[in-house]
Amino acid sequence: MSEQVSKVEKKRISILGCGWLGFSLAKRLLGSGITSMVKGSTTSEAKLDIFAGVGIDGYLLPLNPDAGLDADISGSFFDADIVVIAVPPRMSQNVAGNYTAQMQMVAEAIRQSPAKEVIFVSSTGVYRDLSQTAVERDVQLPEQSAQPEMVAAENAIAALRPGKTVTILRLSGLLGYNRIPGKYVKGQKDMTTGDIPVNYIHRDDAVGIILAVVRQGLQNETFNITAPFHPTRSEVYVDSCAQFGWEAPTFRKPEVPPSFKVISGDKFGKAYRYDFKYPDPLLFHYQLDEGL
């Protein structure tokens, strides 16, 4: 691909969902020289002081489809050049259809805003375990997906086209720092999924890739974002437990091998230039004391 010229120098960027991923992205943006202002939304008033302490313009912005968005607050928040949506479904109420309704509400607010470009952070969890390599075209409709609500949310944001440029990034499992795979399985016995390949992305690379998209220019496309190497779960679990002295899980082979998927990141690699900091999940950086 020919070199793209940055289209976003000194632009205003709003991050909807300034949590574990979004907060790290905001801090990187502030030091990048490509934005004049970073706005971040949260549903926790206590985080506003944390945002202010690092230079993020914080907004308390609950996403309640029944109540709607506060017009004054949302109007100011979405007054940006680029909007990054990093609100995972698990943050929504445990009600079927709520996440889709949230994103439809957000899409309408963006439609009425001056923002011209949108990055929607989705998940490779949309792909079913079909024991094959998953590519972007495999899932375009909710009924094709293991997570129909996520795809419905993608489509609600994608419907902003052609008036807005919408890039959808389907991230594999986010790990790094205090998100340590072994922490969640230490000491477990007779796990049956040890031989299946993993699909992970380190947070540093997820942030770096979003920055690369911003610098090199958004596209009206959907991209899988995953580390290039796919070791087995047993390798990742045992290795990360060993790093912290935890009891590693044990594994047994099931009578019927479990289904799996291997996420392909080839489409992104052909569209953008990016060198992974952590291409191999066995070499991810972790630490126990990391907060927000």
Side-chain angles (χ1 to χ4, degrees):
M1 185 191 69
S2 61
E3 183 173 354
Q4 292 174 292
V5 178
S6 174
K7 301 177 182 179
V8 293
E9 289 188 5
K10 302 302 181 185
K11 294 293 183 69
R12 300 163 302 157
I13 301 178
S14 290
I15 302 172
L16 184 70
C18 207
W20 193 76
L21 174 64
F23 184 67
S24 180
L25 172 62
K27 290 189 292 183
R28 284 283 300 277
L29 281 167
L30 286 168
S32 69
I34 61 176
T35 178
S36 60
M37 175 181 291
V38 176
K39 303 178 185 181
S41 83
T42 179
T43 58
S44 170
E45 190 169 358
K47 290 182 180 178
L48 294 177
D49 287 340
I50 298 174
F51 290 178
V54 297
I56 301 168
D57 190 8
Y59 288 78
L60 190 65
L61 193 60
L63 299 179
N64 185 343
D66 293 329
L69 293 170
D70 182 291
D72 291 336
I73 295 175
S74 66
S76 180
F77 176 79
F78 290 111
D79 183 12
D81 300 297
I82 299 174
V83 175
V84 179
I85 302 170
V87 181
R90 69 176 180 274
M91 293 175 62
S92 66
Q93 301 172 15
N94 189 24
V95 177
N98 188 71
Y99 183 69
T100 304
Q102 285 179 320
M103 293 304 106
Q104 289 170 338
M105 179 177 66
V106 167
E108 184 57 32
I110 295 173
R111 182 175 288 110
Q112 297 178 25
S113 79
K116 295 299 183 184
E117 299 181 301
V118 180
I119 295 174
F120 181 72
V121 177
S122 184
S123 168
T124 57
V126 300
Y127 300 106
R128 294 172 175 157
D129 291 334
L130 300 175
S131 299
Q132 63 187 35
T133 299
V135 297
E136 290 83 352
R137 64 178 177 272
D138 290 340
V139 172
Q140 301 178 57
L141 301 172
E143 55 266 30
Q144 299 171 319
S145 175
Q147 295 183 2
E149 270 206 73
M150 177 62 86
V151 179
E154 286 183 357
N155 291 343
I157 301 301
L160 291 167
R161 303 165 180 157
K164 317 282 186 183
T165 300
V166 178
T167 300
I168 296 171
L169 302 179
R170 291 175 174 168
L171 270 58
S172 286
L174 268 170
L175 292 177
Y177 298 97
N178 60 352
R179 287 194 182 179
I180 309 164
K183 181 169 63 175
Y184 309 107
V185 297
K186 56 186 176 182
Q188 291 189 24
K189 306 298 182 184
D190 294 331
M191 296 186 70
T192 60
T193 58
D195 289 337
I196 69 173
V198 300
N199 301 287
Y200 291 143
I201 185 75
H202 194 279
R203 187 180 70 181
D204 286 352
D205 281 318
V207 168
I209 283 168
I210 294 172
L211 285 173
V213 170
V214 169
R215 285 185 182 277
Q216 296 176 39
L218 277 67
Q219 301 181 24
N220 281 320
E221 293 285 355
T222 297
F223 298 104
N224 293 335
I225 305 300
T226 191
F229 294 98
H230 303 270
T232 64
R233 281 191 182 177
S234 61
E235 289 174 310
V236 171
Y237 290 162
V238 169
D239 182 79
S240 58
C241 281
Q243 290 184 47
F244 296 93
W246 298 328
E247 180 185 359
T250 62
F251 304 89
R252 65 176 177 84
K253 289 189 179 296
E255 293 183 7
V256 179
S259 57
F260 64 91
K261 56 180 173 275
V262 175
I263 303 299
S264 170
D266 289 351
K267 182 180 176 181
F268 177 80
K270 292 175 182 177
Y272 289 96
R273 299 179 310 282
Y274 181 76
D275 292 324
F276 281 83
K277 184 177 181 181
Y278 299 106
D280 186 347
L282 291 174
L283 300 176
F284 280 9
H285 168 71
Y286 300 110
Q287 62 188 60
L288 290 174
D289 59 351
E290 208 240 8
L292 179 63

